[in-house]
Amino acid sequence: MNIDSYEINKDTCAVININNEVSKIIEKNDEYLLPKKSFEVMEDSCAYYGSSYEGRLKGTKMMLGCNYKLPIIIEESNDIIFFPTNGTSNDKCSWISLNHVKSYEPYEGFTKVTFYEGKSIVLKMTCSSFEMQLLRATRLQNLLKKRIDK
């Protein structure tokens, strides 16, 4: 199904960059093609929830002390955190929801990711790189929870 606009929500598992003009949205129970880059989906979703991507990025940098391939808190009250598969300036960059990842494993030199809902995708990245991104996102989530629970 094709749609023209989309905001990431708690059912969004991944935003996969197909090319410079199209992204595939994977939700728990549906999939869509969207005529936007994955990065534009991230920017639009941050704005939808009341912040800019740049503001979210600045907050992540301050919390993690890192500068590259940073996870982003899209919406904190629903714990919606996504992490990139590549640097965000890379046209092949896709975004994965931290809370939907059930497992991951090597698959023909890449990484197969399985979501809790049973869907799976193959990402063109190594398992070690995927794991690093997952760990950064988990660290961000833990720091955020500690600040909220104070």
Side-chain angles (χ1 to χ4, degrees), residues 88-103:
T88 55
S89 61
N90 187 323
D91 288 337
K92 294 177 175 65
C93 183
S94 295
W95 293 83
I96 308 299
S97 170
L98 172 62
N99 290 323
H100 287 279
V101 175
K102 179 180 180 183
S103 63

Side-chain angles (χ1 to χ4, degrees), residues 71-122:
I72 294 294
I73 301 164
I74 300 293
E75 203 280 321
E76 58 278 346
S77 68
N78 286 309
D79 202 28
I80 302 174
I81 298 174
F82 275 68
F83 59 91
T85 59
N86 301 85
T88 55
S89 61
N90 187 323
D91 288 337
K92 294 177 175 65
C93 183
S94 295
W95 293 83
I96 308 299
S97 170
L98 172 62
N99 290 323
H100 287 279
V101 175
K102 179 180 180 183
S103 63
Y104 58 96
E105 61 188 344
Y107 182 81
E108 297 180 3
F110 298 119
T111 303
K112 182 179 180 181
V113 178
T114 302
F115 299 112
Y116 283 106
E117 297 73 26
K119 294 182 180 185
S120 62
I121 57 173
V122 175

Side-chain angles (χ1 to χ4, degrees), residues 1-141:
M1 177 163 78
N2 289 329
I3 55 174
D4 291 326
S5 66
Y6 183 82
E7 285 80 31
I8 289 171
N9 60 72
K10 60 186 171 97
D11 290 337
T12 311
C13 299
V15 179
I16 306 299
N17 204 57
I18 302 297
N19 59 42
N20 263 346
E21 299 174 2
V22 178
S23 293
K24 181 179 184 178
I25 307 296
I26 300 173
E27 286 191 347
K28 286 168 51 171
N29 299 311
D30 216 340
E31 295 184 8
Y32 311 98
L33 291 178
L34 182 68
K36 289 185 179 184
K37 292 181 184 182
S38 62
F39 184 73
E40 291 175 309
V41 177
M42 298 302 292
E43 287 182 313
D44 292 351
S45 295
C46 288
Y48 179 79
Y49 290 110
S51 185
S52 66
Y53 174 84
E54 292 77 18
R56 297 286 188 185
L57 184 64
K58 183 177 179 182
T60 297
K61 284 180 182 181
M62 289 174 52
M63 291 174 77
L64 294 182
C66 302
N67 289 314
Y68 184 67
K69 290 172 64 172
L70 296 173
I72 294 294
I73 301 164
I74 300 293
E75 203 280 321
E76 58 278 346
S77 68
N78 286 309
D79 202 28
I80 302 174
I81 298 174
F82 275 68
F83 59 91
T85 59
N86 301 85
T88 55
S89 61
N90 187 323
D91 288 337
K92 294 177 175 65
C93 183
S94 295
W95 293 83
I96 308 299
S97 170
L98 172 62
N99 290 323
H100 287 279
V101 175
K102 179 180 180 183
S103 63
Y104 58 96
E105 61 188 344
Y107 182 81
E108 297 180 3
F110 298 119
T111 303
K112 182 179 180 181
V113 178
T114 302
F115 299 112
Y116 283 106
E117 297 73 26
K119 294 182 180 185
S120 62
I121 57 173
V122 175
L123 298 173
K124 292 184 178 181
M125 64 189 303
T126 64
C127 263
S128 60
S129 181
F130 181 85
E131 184 171 55
M132 177 61 74
Q133 291 306 102
L134 186 72
L135 291 173
R136 274 189 185 162
T138 301
R139 185 166 167 246
L140 178 63
Q141 181 183 49

